[in-house]
Every structure is written in C-alpha cells, then in structure tokens.
Coordinates of all heavy atoms in Angstrom, one line a residue:
F287 N -4.1 2.7 4.0 CA -3.9 3.4 5.3 C -5.1 4.0 5.9 O -5.2 5.1 6.3 CB -2.8 4.5 5.1 CG -1.6 4.1 4.4 CD1 -1.3 4.6 3.1 CD2 -0.8 3.1 4.8 CE1 -0.1 4.2 2.4 CE2 0.4 2.6 4.1 CZ 0.7 3.2 2.9
W288 N -6.2 3.1 6.0 CA -7.5 3.5 6.5 C -7.4 3.6 8.1 O -6.7 2.8 8.7 CB -8.5 2.5 6.1 CG -8.7 2.5 4.6 CD1 -8.0 1.6 3.8 CD2 -9.5 3.3 3.8 NE1 -8.4 1.9 2.5 CE2 -9.3 2.9 2.5 CE3 -10.4 4.3 4.1 CZ2 -10.0 3.5 1.4 CZ3 -11.1 4.9 3.1 CH2 -10.9 4.5 1.7
K289 N -8.1 4.5 8.6 CA -8.1 4.7 10.1 C -8.7 3.4 10.7 O -9.7 2.8 10.2 CB -9.0 5.8 10.5 CG -8.4 7.2 10.2 CD -9.4 8.3 10.6 CE -8.7 9.7 10.2 NZ -9.7 10.8 10.5
G290 N -8.0 2.9 11.7 CA -8.5 1.7 12.4 C -7.9 0.4 11.9 O -8.1 -0.6 12.6
E291 N -7.3 0.4 10.8 CA -6.7 -0.8 10.3 C -5.4 -1.1 10.9 O -4.7 -0.2 11.5 CB -6.6 -0.8 8.7 CG -5.4 0.1 8.2 CD -5.2 0.0 6.7 OE1 -6.1 -0.5 6.0 OE2 -4.1 0.4 6.3
D292 N -4.9 -2.3 10.8 CA -3.6 -2.7 11.4 C -2.5 -1.9 10.6 O -2.5 -1.9 9.4 CB -3.4 -4.2 11.1 CG -2.1 -4.7 11.8 OD1 -1.3 -3.9 12.2 OD2 -2.0 -6.0 11.9
A293 N -1.7 -1.2 11.3 CA -0.7 -0.4 10.7 C 0.6 -1.1 10.2 O 1.4 -0.5 9.5 CB -0.2 0.7 11.7
T294 N 0.7 -2.4 10.6 CA 1.9 -3.1 10.1 C 1.8 -3.5 8.6 O 0.7 -3.7 8.1 CB 2.0 -4.5 10.9 OG1 0.8 -5.3 10.7 CG2 2.2 -4.2 12.4
I295 N 2.9 -3.4 8.0 CA 3.0 -3.7 6.6 C 3.4 -5.2 6.4 O 4.5 -5.5 6.2 CB 4.0 -2.8 5.9 CG1 3.5 -1.3 6.1 CG2 4.1 -3.0 4.4 CD1 4.4 -0.3 5.5
T296 N 2.4 -6.0 6.4 CA 2.5 -7.5 6.3 C 1.5 -8.0 5.3 O 0.5 -7.3 5.0 CB 2.4 -8.2 7.7 OG1 1.0 -7.8 8.2 CG2 3.4 -7.7 8.7
G297 N 1.7 -9.3 4.9 CA 0.7 -10.0 4.1 C 0.3 -9.3 2.9 O 1.2 -8.8 2.1
M298 N -1.0 -9.1 2.7 CA -1.5 -8.5 1.4 C -1.0 -7.1 1.3 O -0.6 -6.7 0.1 CB -3.0 -8.5 1.5 CG -3.7 -7.9 0.3 SD -5.5 -8.0 0.4 CE -5.8 -6.8 1.7
K299 N -1.0 -6.3 2.4 CA -0.5 -4.9 2.3 C 1.0 -4.9 1.8 O 1.4 -4.0 1.0 CB -0.7 -4.2 3.6 CG -0.4 -2.7 3.5 CD -0.3 -2.1 4.9 CE -1.7 -2.0 5.5 NZ -1.7 -1.3 6.8
R300 N 1.8 -5.7 2.4 CA 3.2 -5.8 2.0 C 3.4 -6.1 0.5 O 4.2 -5.5 -0.2 CB 3.9 -6.8 2.9 CG 5.4 -7.0 2.5 CD 6.1 -8.1 3.2 NE 7.5 -8.2 2.8 CZ 7.9 -8.9 1.8 NH1 7.0 -9.6 1.0 NH2 9.2 -9.0 1.5
R301 N 2.6 -7.1 0.0 CA 2.7 -7.5 -1.4 C 2.4 -6.4 -2.3 O 3.0 -6.1 -3.3 CB 1.9 -8.7 -1.6 CG 2.4 -10.0 -1.0 CD 1.6 -11.2 -1.5 NE 0.2 -11.2 -1.1 CZ -0.3 -11.7 0.0 NH1 0.5 -12.2 0.9 NH2 -1.6 -11.7 0.2
R302 N 1.3 -5.6 -2.0 CA 0.9 -4.5 -2.8 C 2.0 -3.4 -2.8 O 2.3 -2.9 -3.9 CB -0.4 -4.0 -2.3 CG -1.6 -4.9 -2.5 CD -2.9 -4.3 -1.8 NE -4.1 -5.0 -2.2 CZ -5.3 -4.6 -1.7 NH1 -5.4 -3.6 -1.0 NH2 -6.4 -5.3 -2.1
I303 N 2.4 -3.0 -1.6 CA 3.3 -1.9 -1.5 C 4.7 -2.3 -2.1 O 5.4 -1.5 -2.8 CB 3.5 -1.4 -0.1 CG1 2.1 -0.8 0.4 CG2 4.6 -0.4 0.1 CD1 2.1 -0.4 1.8
K304 N 5.1 -3.6 -1.9 CA 6.3 -4.1 -2.5 C 6.3 -4.0 -4.0 O 7.3 -3.5 -4.6 CB 6.6 -5.5 -2.1 CG 7.9 -6.1 -2.6 CD 8.0 -7.5 -1.9 CE 9.4 -8.2 -2.4 NZ 9.3 -8.7 -3.7
A305 N 5.2 -4.3 -4.6 CA 5.1 -4.2 -6.1 C 5.2 -2.8 -6.6 O 5.8 -2.5 -7.6 CB 3.8 -4.9 -6.5
L306 N 4.5 -1.9 -5.9 CA 4.6 -0.5 -6.2 C 6.0 0.0 -6.1 O 6.5 0.7 -7.1 CB 3.7 0.4 -5.3 CG 2.2 0.2 -5.5 CD1 1.4 0.9 -4.3 CD2 1.7 0.7 -6.8
L307 N 6.7 -0.3 -5.0 CA 8.1 0.2 -4.8 C 9.1 -0.4 -5.8 O 9.9 0.3 -6.3 CB 8.5 0.0 -3.4 CG 7.7 0.7 -2.3 CD1 8.2 0.3 -0.9 CD2 7.9 2.2 -2.5
E308 N 8.9 -1.7 -6.1 CA 9.9 -2.4 -7.0 C 9.8 -1.8 -8.4 O 10.8 -1.8 -9.1 CB 9.6 -3.9 -7.0 CG 10.1 -4.6 -5.8 CD 9.9 -6.1 -5.9 OE1 9.1 -6.5 -6.7 OE2 10.6 -6.8 -5.1
H309 N 8.6 -1.3 -8.8 CA 8.4 -0.8 -10.1 C 8.3 0.7 -10.2 O 8.0 1.3 -11.2 CB 7.1 -1.4 -10.8 CG 7.3 -2.9 -11.0 ND1 7.0 -3.8 -10.1 CD2 7.7 -3.5 -12.1 CE1 7.3 -5.0 -10.6 NE2 7.7 -4.9 -11.8
D310 N 8.6 1.3 -9.0 CA 8.7 2.8 -8.9 C 7.4 3.5 -9.4 O 7.4 4.5 -10.1 CB 9.9 3.3 -9.7 CG 10.5 4.5 -9.1 OD1 10.2 4.9 -8.0 OD2 11.3 5.2 -9.9
I311 N 6.2 2.9 -9.0 CA 4.9 3.4 -9.4 C 4.3 4.3 -8.2 O 4.2 3.8 -7.1 CB 4.0 2.3 -9.7 CG1 4.5 1.5 -10.9 CG2 2.6 2.8 -10.0 CD1 3.7 0.3 -11.2
N312 N 3.9 5.5 -8.5 CA 3.2 6.3 -7.6 C 1.8 5.8 -7.4 O 1.1 5.3 -8.3 CB 3.1 7.8 -8.1 CG 4.5 8.4 -8.3 OD1 5.0 8.9 -7.3 ND2 5.0 8.5 -9.5
L313 N 1.3 5.9 -6.1 CA -0.1 5.6 -5.8 C -0.7 6.9 -5.3 O -0.3 7.4 -4.2 CB -0.2 4.5 -4.8 CG -1.7 4.2 -4.4 CD1 -2.5 3.7 -5.5 CD2 -1.7 3.2 -3.2
L314 N -1.7 7.4 -6.0 CA -2.5 8.5 -5.5 C -3.9 8.1 -5.3 O -4.5 7.3 -6.1 CB -2.5 9.7 -6.5 CG -1.1 10.3 -6.8 CD1 -0.6 9.7 -8.1 CD2 -1.2 11.8 -6.9
A315 N -4.5 8.5 -4.1 CA -5.9 8.0 -3.8 C -6.7 9.2 -3.3 O -6.2 10.0 -2.5 CB -5.8 6.9 -2.8
Y316 N -7.9 9.3 -3.7 CA -8.8 10.3 -3.2 C -10.2 9.7 -2.9 O -10.9 9.1 -3.8 CB -9.0 11.4 -4.3 CG -7.7 12.2 -4.5 CD1 -6.8 11.7 -5.4 CD2 -7.4 13.3 -3.7 CE1 -5.6 12.4 -5.6 CE2 -6.3 14.0 -3.9 CZ -5.3 13.6 -4.8 OH -4.1 14.2 -5.0
H317 N -10.6 9.7 -1.6 CA -11.8 9.1 -1.1 C -12.9 10.1 -1.1 O -13.5 10.3 -2.2 CB -11.5 8.4 0.2 CG -12.7 7.7 0.7 ND1 -13.2 7.9 2.0 CD2 -13.4 6.7 0.2 CE1 -14.2 7.0 2.2 NE2 -14.4 6.3 1.1

C-alpha cells in the first residue's frame, strides 16, 4: 500500500493478499 501505487487489488498484489487471507496470516510492516 505504497503512496502513488495502483490501489486496485489485482495481479501480484491479489495473489499475495489472497495467500495471507486464506491462511489467516497477519502482515505487519514498518518502513
């Protein structure tokens, strides 16, 4: 969810998020 990136959840972003949700895995990020 970087500023300026395409906000749609498609392609690579969809596959990543789908895998997290299907396996009920939390994602925490600190930049």
Side-chain angles (χ1 to χ4, degrees):
F287 313 117
W288 299 90
K289 289 180 182 177
E291 75 173 14
D292 186 347
T294 60
I295 300 177
T296 59
M298 180 178 72
K299 186 189 293 185
R300 176 186 179 276
R301 291 191 295 272
R302 290 175 171 183
I303 294 174
K304 181 174 183 286
L306 291 170
L307 294 175
E308 284 184 343
H309 292 86
D310 211 15
I311 298 175
N312 295 281
L313 174 66
L314 298 99
Y316 292 88
H317 184 232

